[in-house]
Amino acid sequence: MADLSKRLPTNVEGEFFVDETCIDCDACRQIAPATFDAVGGRSAVRRQPAGSEEIRRAGMALVACPTASIGSGGVSVAEAVSAFPDQVADRVYFNGFTSESSFGAFSYLALSVHGNVMIDSPRFHRGLARGIAALGGARRIALTHRDDVADHVVWAAELGADRVLHAADVTVGTRDVEIKPEGEEPYEVAPDLLMIPTPGHTRGHAVFLFEERVLFTGDHLAWHPTRGRLYAFRDACWYSWREQIRSMERLLDYRFESVLPGHGRPIHLPAPRMREELQRCIEWMGAR
């Protein structure tokens, strides 16, 4: 938990606070937007939570914070831990427990009759493992790219799961991954889960399409809430912006209604509108 002596002066007075170790990953602002906001390049408590639901969400942000930068004297940590995985769509859950090594990237759990799949890796926590087990465990861990692998080794052993990562993004820390597709052709992870290579952010980046409705996008694509559109991270493109545009164009061939990113905000739209927004994003990228 956070250090009270390092409490940021940008917090409002009250029980919950953020300390100076905050890395501005945006996790707490997504989990508990009524409590946390961006102030001066970091998160801070803009309003103390009021009521049981706001307190519960603030507690969830506290345990999910990758740097333990959130503090509170009276929150029930056990209750906050048990709130994860947290449902965000039909048969899709947010795992919480973001990792500093992934800069607070979000990990998800997709429930499938073909075996549940963890998308990217959260920080390992025994309480989260119990929550995932209660939902049926996970058969596979689908890794979108090399940056957001966190505690994948521990999770693979805990779940007895095979891992999937594009060969072009395999590093020393992921050389033991069991499944390493190559090239740019889609790879069927399961009958309802398709791996679509999307080089750009990294050479081996891939997105995962679940049931032709939910697209897990890693660091490839997200929603910009203030600009009201889909966008890509131009300043965090480590391989090739040109390739990322080409990868985005290929996604026009697929139908999906939800974008759930590792970094950035999620969005749920009717499929025709989502395609329009994707085309708009591609045009914006081409002008950058």
Side-chain angles (χ1 to χ4, degrees):
M1 199 176 290
D3 186 342
L4 185 59
S5 69
K6 297 179 180 179
R7 177 182 179 131
L8 291 170
T10 47
N11 294 287
V12 299
E13 289 299 321
E15 185 175 320
F16 280 87
F17 67 93
V18 179
D19 77 11
E20 62 188 33
T21 62
C22 171
I23 58 173
D24 195 30
C25 72
D26 193 44
C28 68
R29 305 194 296 262
Q30 290 198 52
I31 297 167
T35 299
F36 301 96
D37 204 352
V39 184
R42 284 184 282 201
S43 291
V45 175
R46 68 180 177 99
R47 183 173 68 83
Q48 291 294 328
S52 59
E53 180 58 17
E54 288 188 7
I55 293 171
R56 187 180 78 90
R57 298 299 301 185
M60 291 169 65
L62 185 151
V63 299
C65 177
T67 49
S69 300
I70 301 172
S72 172
V75 69
S76 171
V77 172
E79 181 179 344
V81 168
S82 68
F84 292 108
D86 179 39
Q87 189 167 10
V88 293
D90 182 27
R91 298 190 304 284
V92 177
Y93 293 75
F94 165 49
N95 288 321
F97 295 93
T98 62
S99 172
E100 185 175 9
S101 68
S102 300
F103 198 75
F106 279 27
S107 164
Y108 303 92
L109 182 71
L111 305 189
S112 169
V113 295
H114 304 287
N116 298 344
V117 180
M118 176 183 281
I119 311 294
D120 286 329
S121 173
R123 168 171 37 103
F124 184 78
H125 190 281
R126 183 60 59 188
L128 177 59
R130 287 193 294 269
I132 291 174
L135 290 171
R139 180 182 178 185
R140 292 268 164 80
I141 301 174
L143 301 169
T144 59
H145 64 297
R146 68 189 184 202
D147 298 342
D148 295 348
V149 298
D151 290 335
H152 72 100
V153 174
V154 182
W155 279 112
E158 173 71 21
L159 298 168
D162 291 337
R163 293 156 291 175
V164 184
L165 176 65
H166 195 282
D169 258 26
V170 171
T171 64
V172 172
T174 51
R175 61 188 174 191
D176 293 330
V177 164
E178 292 79 9
I179 304 170
K180 306 166 189 171
E182 300 181 2
E184 293 190 1
E185 289 301 310
Y187 175 82
E188 186 178 281
V189 180
D192 56 359
L193 187 69
L194 187 67
M195 178 185 189
I196 306 169
T198 50
H201 172 71
T202 60
R203 186 180 177 192
H205 194 289
V207 299
F208 291 87
L209 180 61
F210 178 56
E211 295 183 342
E212 296 186 335
R213 63 182 179 89
V214 178
L215 192 69
F216 298 101
T217 57
D219 287 0
H220 182 68
L221 179 67
W223 182 256
H224 200 299
T226 57
R227 298 177 185 174
R229 60 172 174 80
L230 289 170
Y231 77 110
F233 301 94
R234 180 65 180 91
D235 296 335
C237 180
W238 311 133
Y239 174 57
S240 168
W241 186 245
R242 184 181 298 274
E243 285 298 310
Q244 191 157 348
I245 294 172
R246 288 183 59 246
S247 297
M248 207 72 77
E249 290 171 339
R250 287 197 296 274
L251 292 183
L252 291 169
D253 294 335
Y254 299 93
R255 181 187 185 280
F256 50 95
E257 301 169 349
S258 297
V259 165
L260 296 182
H263 289 107
R265 298 299 177 95
I267 188 65
H268 308 279
L269 296 170
R273 169 75 189 285
M274 187 69 83
R275 192 180 191 280
E276 291 175 2
E277 291 295 338
L278 180 60
Q279 183 65 61
R280 184 182 171 202
C281 174
I282 293 167
E283 292 168 1
W284 167 81
M285 292 175 71
R288 293 280 286 174

